[in-house]
Amino acid sequence: MNDMPTLAFDPADSCLNVEQLSVSYDGKAALREVSLTVPRHRVTAFIGPSGCGKSTLLRSFNRMNDLIRGVEVMGQIRLFGEDILAPEVDVTALRRRIGMVFQQPNPFPMSVFDNVAYGLRLQGLSDQRALEREVEWALRSAALWDEVKDRLEASALTLSGGQQQRLVIARAIAIRPEVLLLDEPASALDPISTLKIEELIGQLAEAYSIIVVTHNMQQAARVSDYTAFLYLGELVEFSATDDLFTRPQARQTEDYITGRYG
Amino acid sequence: MKTPSGWRSGDGALWLSTGAVTLTLLLTVTLLVLLGRVGFGHFWPEPLATFTFDPATEQTPLVAARREHGTFALADGGKEARTLLRTGNRDTAAPDFRWIANASLRSAHFDPAAIEIERRSWGPALGLLAPPEAPAANRASLAARQWARLEEALALPSQARTVSLTLYGADGSARPLPLAEVVRAWRPNAMDLGEKLSLYFSRIGAFISEPPREANTEGGIFPALFGTVLMVMLMTVVVTPIGVVAALYLHEYAPQGPLTQTLRIAVNNLAGVPSIVYGVFGLGFFVYLVGGSLDSAFFADALPAPTFGTPGLLWASLTLALLTLPVMIVATEEGLSRIPRQLREASLALGATHFETLRYVILPQALPAVLTGVILAVARGAGEVAPLMLVGVVKLAPELPLDGTFPFLHLDRQFMHLGFHIYDLAFQSPNVEAARPLVYASALLLVLMIVLLNLGAVLLRAYLRGRHRDPLG
């Protein structure tokens, strides 16, 4: 795969640099020597069939893989030049800089307000005024404010699935991370909610570097600026989204986007 | 395709499982009905009959209540039907319960002047307020006069009652009965239903709220009820935090390997250790070792009289806490493992530490499971008797473990317990027939008390679960 052209970005325009990253679970390789650079303030999509390693790659960025027993990570990931895989890195501080939204909407069983305020309170913000201001800002940014402003004290579990997912996004951006990781954020949602999430991703890209994992190629084509195609733990191709879908360089990419497998 | 028939159709499994549930329900209902009928039937004012007997038996006439019928096998191989009569008057005409052959019963009539008197000692006195042979008009006025005197005296405190009542036997004998001795009296043959009901409930009330008398065969069970509730509460206060913290360690912090697994199996096995073993441990460890050390360190002045180095409420609660700890740990761990991984990840992804995630997300979610553990622990602990006999329960405690003198909660005191009270009534009572209904009544109260304690925990759990319930889920 090394003969494939990879994208290079100016250091000022890149947020994450991945070099020779290999991840294995109990000795079984999930990622093999992946190298790529994620651009800043852009939407980057990771696509590929199930088990290709795209979620593993995503979860390496905020070190959620640390939670899994028997995981082994080799290589380097740098966030704005800082090595984030080094053992002395404060993982909680790292996770405040790199927010994450999961496949299943997972609001806490608390009120809407407390959900969004959770991360802020963890950082020691206790002034009610400031909390209210920040929560409103986050909910507005997640295009949810108008729907929930009258029921901030209601349980978050009373929201619809699509609303819950936007609430989770609001919760993630409330602590103003630099990078936002979205792990198949719309796969559990209906088409209308999916559309809203996709619109939201476009708006958020102005302020955040966004990485979205999806197995839906149309979605990748619609929302992302750059797309990486992974297959069997290897990075097959990484280029501008338009190029990848119209002029795939690798045979495997072409087969995948034309629906021959996956 | 053929529809499965026979066993495979599932009808059999349905019938079997429904049958099992029905059987369980039936047994439960039978238990409650039996306990309630025998136990609380005892408080209903029984009609008192004046019996005369076959002259050949040389039995003088008696005022008595019919208790039950039975058939006895005789030595010559025949059978004889007999009736159990409750005759009271243990002080003058013992025994107070006798089996009489039905064939020797001559006549029985219900005299409106018959009276039953509950006394402070010697059990109930049964008799007549007027001599049996006197003319009817004289009898009625004498009975009314005596009853009025009795009612007047009972309104006074017992020390102020100087008068006596003349109680007549069915054989015409008369004896004085000092009214200072009387707790309550009633004329069962002259009462209407309303009066009987009001007496019935006031006697049940007294049973629940009064201390026992006469080697526990008379009076109430309040100290036992109180001791049980207090001990269970103390036990819960001790076992809950320890159990939760231990479960948190096993599930959240301990490296999941063979060692932790062994530990878990050991905890589970502790639940199967016979409770008397815990009693022995409590006696040896808590009472003698810990209590003895406390005494020599802080209460040396009082030695050799022990303060904490003797069985008491504290050691009983701690022993039962130890006994119920496995239940608590298992239930809590179960609850922890049911919390979705997504919630944990969501918290960690927001930059929360493991501890913050536990504190704000995991523990609130695990609270219903903790309460399930409390329910199971209470059910187990409240019904336990064997270990308590070694570490603090007594047949009769002169003082409640909670009172108005400093330090109010006397953890060093011995206490009474319903379970032990039942054992004591059933096996240690000097008067088996008199104690028998009380055994059933106490047993029913013990069951009701456990149900009430559990109901409280169940309602709390339902409330906690309902707070953030997904309306669609």
Side-chain angles (χ1 to χ4, degrees):
Chain A
M1 310 299 141
N2 294 335
D3 52 332
M4 283 298 150
T6 54
L7 285 170
F9 297 95
D10 188 78
D13 289 329
S14 61
C15 66
L16 282 159
N17 285 291
V18 182
E19 271 172 41
Q20 300 288 310
L21 183 73
S22 296
V23 178
S24 62
Y25 301 115
D26 288 325
K28 199 169 162 289
L31 279 181
R32 291 195 189 94
E33 298 185 354
V34 170
S35 299
L36 84 168
T37 300
V38 178
R40 191 163 167 260
H41 287 196
R42 291 284 183 275
V43 179
T44 306
F46 292 168
I47 62 169
S50 299
C52 70
K54 54 192 192 297
S55 283
T56 300
L57 180 57
L58 192 75
R59 293 165 67 95
S60 299
F61 295 145
N62 66 346
R63 292 186 50 180
M64 286 306 266
N65 285 333
D66 290 12
L67 301 176
I68 299 164
R69 283 198 302 143
V71 70
E72 199 181 342
V73 182
M74 291 195 322
Q76 242 191 3
I77 303 175
R78 285 198 306 274
L79 174 65
F80 297 114
E82 287 171 50
D83 183 4
I84 61 169
L85 293 183
E88 69 272 14
V89 168
D90 178 357
V91 179
T92 59
L94 170 71
R95 289 180 186 151
R96 286 173 192 178
R97 295 176 65 190
I98 304 185
M100 184 163 189
V101 172
F102 298 83
Q103 181 172 359
Q104 290 288 335
N106 56 356
F108 299 126
M110 308 170 181
S111 70
V112 170
F113 184 91
D114 288 343
N115 258 282
V116 182
Y118 185 82
L120 298 165
R121 285 180 172 140
L122 286 180
Q123 295 190 8
L125 186 67
S126 57
D127 176 51
Q128 187 63 22
R129 279 271 181 71
L131 275 175
E132 279 168 16
R133 198 179 55 235
E134 291 297 312
V135 167
E136 179 177 344
W137 171 83
L139 285 170
R140 281 188 192 283
S141 304
L144 190 61
W145 175 253
D146 292 333
E147 291 164 58
V148 299
K149 64 183 175 203
D150 300 322
R151 45 200 278 219
L152 290 175
E153 290 312 314
S155 168
L157 301 179
T158 60
L159 301 181
S160 73
Q163 288 173 326
Q164 287 188 8
Q165 195 63 313
R166 277 177 287 147
L167 177 69
V168 169
I169 292 175
R171 184 174 70 186
I173 59 180
I175 56 173
R176 306 196 188 228
E178 294 154 42
V179 182
L180 199 56
L181 310 175
L182 306 173
D183 190 357
E184 303 192 21
S187 67
L189 302 181
D190 61 275
I192 304 283
S193 301
T194 303
L195 195 67
K196 284 188 177 168
I197 298 283
E198 288 179 5
E199 282 173 7
L200 182 58
I201 293 172
Q203 291 161 19
L204 292 173
E206 288 166 21
Y208 303 94
S209 310
I210 293 178
I211 306 174
V212 51
V213 160
T214 177
H215 56 223
N216 178 336
M217 281 172 287
Q218 286 75 28
Q219 188 173 61
R222 281 194 298 266
V223 303
S224 69
D225 303 306
Y226 297 93
T227 299
F229 172 62
L230 288 96
Y231 184 61
L232 296 178
E234 296 186 26
L235 178 65
V236 177
E237 188 165 351
F238 180 39
S239 51
T241 300
D242 290 345
D243 291 344
L244 188 120
F245 283 103
T246 54
R247 292 184 297 278
Q249 303 288 310
R251 178 69 192 274
Q252 283 156 320
T253 316
E254 191 178 346
D255 286 350
Y256 182 66
I257 60 177
T258 52
R260 294 219 184 110
Y261 62 85
Chain B
M1 200 173 139
K2 213 175 115 221
T3 315
S5 60
W7 173 249
R8 285 179 56 217
S9 68
D11 288 353
L14 178 65
W15 278 102
L16 207 64
S17 49
T18 317
V21 171
T22 314
L23 185 70
T24 318
L25 263 178
L26 264 176
L27 284 175
T28 313
V29 170
T30 312
L31 171 88
L32 291 177
V33 167
L34 179 76
L35 293 183
R37 209 181 69 85
V38 182
F40 281 80
H42 168 69
F43 300 108
W44 186 258
E46 289 170 306
L48 293 177
T50 309
F51 290 98
T52 54
F53 304 92
D54 186 349
T57 61
E58 295 182 359
Q59 171 67 59
T60 53
L62 285 171
V63 176
R66 267 201 191 94
R67 254 294 150 88
E68 59 182 276
H69 300 280
T71 309
F72 286 68
L74 298 177
D76 59 15
K79 286 202 165 107
E80 188 179 57
R82 293 184 192 169
T83 304
L84 178 66
L85 297 184
R86 184 171 67 89
T87 57
N89 302 337
R90 204 158 69 227
D91 45 345
T92 55
D96 52 354
F97 287 87
R98 16 188 134 178
W99 284 101
I100 302 281
N102 285 357
S104 65
L105 280 175
R106 278 294 166 266
S107 70
H109 78 275
F110 296 94
D111 186 339
I115 186 170
E116 174 159 1
I117 300 170
E118 204 180 311
R119 297 178 293 179
R120 261 175 242 295
S121 51
W122 295 108
L126 307 184
L128 305 170
L129 284 171
E133 308 301 339
N138 292 359
R139 295 195 73 221
S141 70
L142 177 60
R145 265 203 317 279
Q146 288 228 76
W147 180 252
R149 185 139 48 100
L150 180 103
E151 279 195 315
E152 196 180 321
L154 285 187
L156 302 170
S158 60
Q159 310 92 295
R161 301 178 201 153
T162 48
V163 286
S164 296
L165 196 71
T166 311
L167 195 63
Y168 298 92
D171 52 356
S173 65
R175 64 182 169 114
L177 192 97
L179 285 176
E181 280 283 286
V182 175
V183 176
R184 117 185 47 229
W186 59 93
R187 294 174 297 176
N189 301 342
M191 290 166 92
D192 60 30
L193 185 66
E195 286 169 327
K196 282 186 177 176
L197 275 175
S198 113
L199 177 71
Y200 178 66
F201 286 111
S202 90
R203 286 185 77 196
I204 290 181
F207 180 67
I208 294 171
S209 63
E210 281 177 7
R213 299 191 307 266
E214 298 197 62
N216 297 351
T217 56
E218 297 286 332
I221 53 160
F222 178 70
L225 205 58
F226 186 83
T228 311
V229 172
L230 188 63
M231 196 261 318
V232 167
M233 283 180 169
L234 282 175
M235 174 201 84
T236 311
V237 166
V238 175
V239 75
T240 309
I242 299 180
V244 169
V245 170
L248 276 181
Y249 176 76
L250 280 179
H251 192 263
E252 297 287 330
Y253 289 107
Q256 301 299 320
L259 191 68
T260 308
Q261 202 51 37
T262 313
L263 209 60
R264 205 168 271 139
I265 292 169
V267 166
N268 283 332
N269 277 335
L270 273 182
V273 171
S275 56
I276 190 76
V277 176
Y278 283 96
V280 173
F281 173 79
L283 184 69
F285 180 73
F286 289 128
V287 177
Y288 292 151
L289 194 69
V290 181
S293 312
L294 277 179
D295 274 1
S296 53
F298 300 108
F299 301 98
D301 299 349
L303 284 173
T307 309
F308 278 102
T310 175
L313 178 62
L314 177 65
W315 305 136
S317 304
L318 290 184
T319 304
L320 280 200
L322 206 64
L323 177 101
T324 50
L325 194 57
V327 177
M328 194 72 215
I329 293 177
V330 170
T332 308
E333 234 198 306
E334 192 89 339
L336 286 173
S337 58
R338 269 206 307 268
I339 295 169
R341 203 191 44 169
Q342 286 92 332
L343 280 185
R344 191 184 297 267
E345 288 187 336
S347 174
L348 292 171
L350 287 166
T353 63
H354 188 184
F355 175 75
E356 286 165 335
T357 304
L358 276 182
R359 169 71 189 74
Y360 299 113
V361 177
I362 308 286
L363 262 189
Q365 283 290 94
L367 221 48
V370 171
L371 281 167
T372 303
V374 169
I375 291 168
L376 293 173
V378 164
R380 174 103 205 259
E384 213 45 86
V385 181
L388 295 176
M389 297 200 267
L390 294 172
V391 292
V393 160
V394 286
K395 176 189 173 78
L396 189 67
E399 292 160 303
L400 290 180
L402 188 71
D403 61 23
T405 56
F406 186 80
F408 309 117
L409 180 61
H410 303 273
L411 292 174
D412 54 323
R413 274 187 195 163
Q414 302 196 318
F415 64 104
M416 291 176 70
H417 184 274
L418 259 183
F420 182 71
H421 194 77
I422 293 168
Y423 165 79
D424 179 62
L425 282 174
F427 291 103
Q428 313 281 309
S429 171
N431 194 339
V432 179
E433 284 295 350
R436 200 153 56 110
L438 300 185
V439 172
Y440 286 89
S442 306
L444 184 64
L445 277 179
L446 180 59
V447 173
L448 289 180
M449 193 205 74
I450 295 174
V451 168
L452 274 180
L453 283 171
N454 275 343
L455 200 65
V458 168
L459 288 178
L460 188 62
R461 182 176 62 180
Y463 166 75
L464 286 173
R465 274 194 183 145
R467 266 198 318 190
H468 283 290
R469 164 135 313 161
D470 181 346
L472 304 173

